[in-house]
Amino acid sequence: MKFRKTALALASGATVLALLSGCAGTSATTDSTKPVTQAEIDKAMNTPTTLTFWTWVPDIQNEVNLFEKKYPKIKVKVVNTTGGAQHYPKLRAALKAGKGVPDVAQMEYDYIPSFTQTKSLLNLEPYGAGKLKSEYVDWVWNQVANSSGVWGIPQDSGPLGTLYRDDIFTQAGLHGSPATWDDFAKAAAEVKSKTGAYITDLPGNDMFQMISFFWQAGAKPFSYDGKKTVGVDLDSATDQKVVAYWQDLIDKNLVATDPDFTDAYYQGLAQNKYASWLVAAWGPVFLQGTVKSTSGKWRAGNIPQWTAGANVSGNWGGSSDAVMAATKNPIAAYELAKFINNDESSTLMLANKQFLFPTTKATLSDPAFVDQKSEFYGGQQVNKFFAGVSNTVDKKFEWLPYMDYVNSSYTSTLGKAIANHGDLKAALAAWQQQVVNYGKQQGFTVK
Amino acid sequence: MTVLSARAHSARASGASARGPRGSRHITGAQTRAAWVLTAPFLVVFAAMFLAPLAYSAYLSLFTSQLVGGEEFSGLANYVRALQDPSFWSGLGRVALFLFIQVPIMLVASICFALALDSKRVKGGRVARLLIFIPYAVPSVVATLMWGYLYGTDFGLITQIFHAVGLPAPDLLSPQNILGSTMNIVCWEFIGYNMIILYAALRSVPDDVYEAAEIDGAGQIRIAWSIKLPAIRQAILLTIIFSIIGSFQLFNEPNLLYNIAPNAVGTDFTPNLYAYNLAFKNQDINYAAAIAFLLGIVIMIVSFVVQTAINRRERQS
């Protein structure tokens, strides 16, 4: 700190700016952990208040309108941050500057530790969040809660399944999605030789798909104690098994390795280059929007299993709404985050209008959601199917407080090896090494 | 707007002081004060918008920050780390390669176009001039997206043409080819821009010089080589310096190509892209500031060396 002050005195032009950023880190308020009473809630919700809400869910104003109707005294200013790539840097900049921080912010599950580590999120337990636990799917709840508190209200999730082209599979003599990964490899050979298509695409740019495969295989690559200790176990036997499996398919040229969510990828889907997509519950709606021309030819099935007869899935994606610790209106902010993701009419609207895959047990069993039949999937009740998958997701999965780095490191290690058809096992080890080194360099104790 | 008006202020201020001493040689105290007052708006904006951010990032680069433990002063540690960082050097190597291959191709093409248009022997010269210049008017973001579609490995136009002719299509987005593909985009964007600078310089050479040369029996090529090129040497130097800076600062094109060829571009394709990823993905703003400063120093050195080398040759000849 002494050096800092001298340096500050020297750089007079920069003083104001530097001060702004220098003092911010400690502004997080950790209020009492005493439960908030109903009287306090009533008072807060009847006091004229303006809340700021950062999110990139399209048309969320509709759900916010429901909230404002219920609590006419509370006004919500919705800021659409357009997506994670802009959202988190913007949020971090506001936190660093110590002003302009929203009251409520959308927060993907894998980002929560990064913001609890900096004490930027409000513990929602004293505000009554603990009581919501039973209303949510258990593994989803584990994504927002740990032993020290509840850090967000789950909004959407992505249990993993197989979306496949029934026409291509039938042409290859297959019936339904492969039950085990062994079956999937055999099916890949059939599909390639009889139809010329790849059974699927394994992109080198999508860490979260790979992690969902690890998750499904039962791996626990990350852990974080909420303080200074992280665990990195990417190079585990389970993960090695997963990458060795894909190595085999890549070497035999039975899977494509194109980057996903690109124009070329959508064209590949539309033009029968890939016969299936191993994707989360948000995948079905995505396909309907991007490859309309293949309507009626798709079906949803379970993700292949490592052990015959088992029924385990993983998760890919999903987010919550968190309350920022810097908020001046913690009660109203919590009520907003809760209402959007807990009120029946709001969650059903999120599920049916914005196509966010639900997290509450109520919506996952609501006929208005699960009984819909999809023409795109030949009349299959895709929502009902994925609601079932949601119950089979492996319960406990943790993240590191620096997933941005883990992600960019993936692109230059394991992802690169996938794209270049290189040595996946060596690349997995390199990824592990980079993630460990970064953790140490950032001052964490790495187990 | 503020910068513009500040410039206008300072222009007016210099005009006033030029007119002032017409009568006497002395500059009075009042005049000095007036000059300061009149240039003050510019100086304030200059200091706030240019010097302060520069000083602030220099200041930032002297600290190291950790997610655990926060920020502490570390002197030149970030610079030492950068000099040992293979990602920084490989990015620098890539832009150096870019400089030595793309810049000559682009400038030779620009010079040829400018000379051809200036010779007045091209039919529809105005239309040609406009067509060559139009790519510069297309934002580089749009240009990169457009080329990205053309390069597409399965359904891109180039691939389809190759398939139509019955040839195997090259993968223009592979790690081996991505640098060449980027060079092509930058050439497409900037040939017209450089051509316009050079063409404008050529137009300002008086015509009687050419007439004299023609009377002496010089052909068009001889005129171009011995008269036109030496006459626009300063303009060529300008385009070279701009291109050097542009090459080292390469960012937009690789950053956008990252979306369609993520593993080929990676996070450290160019030093600028690396600094950006360090700051916003790795949350290492201090180290990113050091990388940016080092890059600035490299650009200054290279620009200076090129400029003095060319000027020295000019003086010798």
Side-chain angles (χ1 to χ4, degrees):
Chain A
M1 283 313 282
K2 194 178 144 206
F3 284 115
R4 238 196 126 124
K5 275 182 189 144
T6 9
L8 270 176
L10 289 171
S12 60
T15 315
V16 181
L17 283 166
L19 273 174
L20 274 178
S21 69
C23 301
T26 51
S27 68
T29 49
T30 37
D31 273 316
S32 62
T33 46
K34 206 171 58 190
V36 175
T37 64
Q38 188 59 43
E40 284 174 300
I41 296 173
D42 291 342
K43 182 165 174 266
M45 301 315 284
N46 283 306
T47 311
T49 312
T50 304
L51 297 173
T52 313
F53 180 20
W54 285 12
T55 173
W56 65 91
V57 175
D59 299 324
I60 199 148
Q61 189 64 47
N62 296 334
E63 286 82 3
V64 167
N65 289 344
L66 297 176
F67 174 79
E68 288 181 329
K69 207 168 151 196
K70 186 173 176 191
Y71 303 106
K73 290 277 168 60
I74 316 282
K75 295 277 164 282
V76 181
K77 199 172 143 237
V78 176
V79 178
N80 188 331
T81 48
T82 71
Q86 286 79 37
H87 184 82
Y88 301 112
K90 204 175 162 181
L91 198 54
R92 284 185 182 129
L95 286 165
K96 213 164 182 214
K99 59 180 189 183
V101 181
D103 298 281
V104 181
Q106 186 176 351
M107 186 78 35
E108 284 161 288
Y109 301 130
D110 50 293
Y111 271 89
I112 291 177
S114 150
F115 285 90
T116 54
Q117 191 260 324
T118 51
K119 298 191 170 51
S120 308
L121 302 186
L122 188 71
N123 180 5
L124 303 178
E125 206 152 18
Y127 299 88
K131 279 177 260 160
L132 302 177
K133 183 176 187 220
S134 60
E135 296 173 34
Y136 289 85
V137 179
D138 46 8
W139 69 266
V140 173
W141 191 256
N142 287 341
Q143 292 286 300
V144 297
N146 58 16
S147 56
S148 44
V150 178
W151 306 103
I153 308 294
Q155 182 157 70
D156 66 313
S157 63
L160 203 59
T162 306
L163 299 181
Y164 63 97
R165 285 280 297 273
D166 197 42
D167 55 332
I168 300 180
F169 270 36
T170 308
Q171 203 186 331
L174 301 166
H175 307 285
S177 62
T180 66
W181 287 106
D182 278 342
D183 296 342
F184 188 81
K186 284 179 201 135
E190 291 293 311
V191 168
K192 192 74 197 293
S193 67
K194 290 191 182 146
T195 70
Y198 289 107
I199 193 161
T200 194
D201 179 53
L202 183 72
N205 63 327
D206 209 316
M207 175 190 78
F208 287 105
Q209 188 188 36
M210 184 53 82
I211 286 186
S212 73
F213 294 159
F214 291 167
W215 188 330
Q216 191 243 345
K220 306 276 182 267
F222 310 123
S223 68
Y224 176 46
D225 73 344
K227 296 178 190 80
K228 285 185 179 177
T229 310
V230 295
V232 182
D233 194 16
L234 283 164
D235 200 13
S236 66
T238 311
D239 292 355
Q240 285 177 6
K241 176 179 78 178
V242 175
V243 301
Y245 176 82
W246 289 105
Q247 179 90 62
D248 180 51
L249 292 185
I250 291 171
D251 291 347
K252 291 178 181 158
N253 194 29
L254 295 176
V255 290
T257 54
D258 308 325
D260 61 359
F261 302 108
T262 65
D263 191 54
Y265 181 69
Y266 303 140
Q267 296 203 35
L269 283 171
Q271 306 199 12
N272 311 348
K273 188 180 179 188
Y274 323 119
S276 74
W277 189 18
L278 305 173
V279 71
W282 40 261
V285 174
F286 201 89
L287 282 184
Q288 291 175 32
T290 48
V291 285
K292 288 198 189 79
S293 60
T294 55
S295 179
K297 295 173 179 169
W298 291 85
R299 300 286 181 278
N302 281 313
I303 193 85
Q305 299 296 312
W306 288 103
T307 319
N311 187 13
V312 192
S313 187
N315 178 67
W316 177 4
S319 58
S320 65
D321 283 326
V323 177
M324 305 308 291
T327 182
K328 294 199 171 60
N329 312 295
I331 294 175
Y334 164 71
E335 291 297 331
L336 173 65
K338 177 183 148 191
F339 181 92
I340 298 285
N341 304 306
N342 192 263
D343 180 84
E344 285 262 6
S345 53
S346 177
T347 53
L348 194 64
M349 200 186 263
L350 283 173
N352 284 338
K353 295 275 161 50
Q354 277 108 329
F355 307 111
L356 297 180
F357 193 77
T359 52
T360 64
K361 290 175 184 169
T363 311
L364 282 168
S365 57
D366 191 330
F369 175 68
V370 292
D371 285 354
Q372 291 178 24
K373 286 182 183 163
S374 170
E375 278 311 305
F376 191 86
Y377 294 87
Q380 191 181 359
Q381 291 179 326
V382 180
N383 288 344
K384 185 173 269 174
F385 169 76
F386 274 105
V389 175
S390 185
N391 293 322
T392 68
V393 173
D394 194 71
K395 306 280 182 247
K396 199 94 181 116
F397 196 91
E398 290 180 46
W399 303 97
L400 291 178
Y402 51 87
M403 290 309 295
D404 319 59
Y405 178 79
V406 181
N407 198 353
S408 77
S409 167
Y410 175 80
T411 322
S412 58
T413 54
L414 186 54
K416 195 171 191 172
I418 290 170
N420 299 344
H421 298 192
D423 184 348
L424 267 51
K425 194 164 176 287
L428 182 69
W431 188 24
Q432 159 87 15
Q433 198 54 51
Q434 286 196 2
V435 173
V436 167
N437 287 348
Y438 181 83
K440 284 182 183 158
Q441 186 204 325
Q442 291 298 326
F444 291 101
T445 311
V446 184
K447 280 194 299 197
Chain B
M1 281 308 288
T2 46
V3 176
L4 268 181
S5 64
R7 274 201 198 130
H9 277 297
S10 61
R12 248 174 269 142
S14 62
S17 57
R19 244 176 279 124
R22 201 183 286 160
S24 66
R25 291 267 168 95
H26 297 288
I27 297 172
T28 63
Q31 277 171 330
T32 314
R33 270 196 300 281
W36 275 112
V37 168
L38 290 167
T39 49
F42 164 74
L43 289 175
V44 168
V45 173
F46 182 72
M49 299 294 160
F50 190 78
L51 294 180
L54 210 59
Y56 182 51
S57 59
Y59 162 80
L60 277 181
S61 73
L62 300 178
F63 289 81
T64 43
S65 65
Q66 292 182 313
L67 294 173
V68 176
E71 239 180 1
E72 62 174 9
F73 183 78
S74 60
L76 296 175
N78 283 327
Y79 292 90
V80 174
R81 185 179 152 200
L83 292 173
Q84 295 164 345
D85 187 340
S87 290
F88 176 64
W89 287 111
S90 68
L92 212 53
R94 225 168 270 127
V95 290
L97 202 63
F98 195 90
L99 180 66
F100 285 116
I101 298 174
Q102 188 267 340
V103 171
I105 293 174
M106 174 180 71
L107 290 184
V108 167
S110 299
I111 291 172
C112 290
F113 283 131
L115 288 172
L117 290 175
D118 188 58
S119 72
K120 300 194 185 87
R121 297 183 176 200
V122 183
K123 275 188 186 160
R126 277 188 185 182
V127 178
R129 195 170 71 203
L130 190 66
L131 285 177
I132 299 170
F133 185 69
I134 273 179
Y136 180 68
V138 176
S140 63
V141 173
V142 178
T144 311
L145 290 176
M146 186 193 79
W147 277 102
Y149 291 132
L150 297 180
Y151 289 155
T153 39
D154 289 310
F155 311 104
L157 185 67
I158 296 172
T159 308
Q160 286 181 355
I161 290 172
F162 269 87
H163 285 170
V165 186
L167 292 169
D171 181 2
L172 296 167
L173 297 172
S174 71
Q176 295 77 29
N177 293 337
I178 194 87
L179 188 65
S181 302
T182 315
M183 287 179 186
N184 177 51
I185 299 175
V186 177
C187 278
W188 184 83
E189 284 173 319
F190 287 99
I191 283 177
Y193 169 75
N194 289 308
M195 178 204 72
I196 288 288
I197 295 179
L198 298 170
Y199 179 72
L202 282 171
R203 297 300 297 157
S204 64
V205 179
D207 278 347
D208 44 1
V209 182
Y210 304 146
E211 281 164 25
E214 268 176 46
I215 290 164
D216 286 348
Q220 283 299 319
I221 292 176
R222 184 68 204 269
I223 290 177
W225 183 255
S226 303
I227 301 177
K228 292 189 175 179
L229 285 184
I232 60 166
R233 181 174 267 160
Q234 285 304 323
I236 294 175
L237 178 63
L238 183 78
T239 58
I240 291 175
I241 298 286
F242 279 175
S243 304
I244 291 171
I245 296 173
S247 302
F248 278 106
Q249 295 196 340
L250 199 61
F251 176 77
N252 264 348
E253 291 81 7
N255 190 38
L256 285 161
L257 285 176
Y258 179 84
N259 294 323
I260 56 169
N263 303 101
V265 174
T267 52
D268 54 2
F269 194 72
T270 70
N272 249 358
L273 189 66
Y274 185 46
Y276 172 83
N277 283 317
L278 282 172
F280 295 107
K281 285 189 182 155
N282 299 10
Q283 298 184 59
D284 204 344
I285 291 164
N286 307 81
Y287 186 43
I291 295 269
F293 252 83
L294 273 182
L295 180 65
I297 292 167
V298 170
I299 294 176
M300 279 195 286
I301 293 172
V302 174
S303 304
F304 181 75
V305 167
V306 170
Q307 195 165 7
T308 40
I310 292 180
N311 283 341
R312 187 172 299 152
R313 274 192 57 192
E314 194 172 6
R315 245 175 278 131
Q316 280 166 353
S317 60

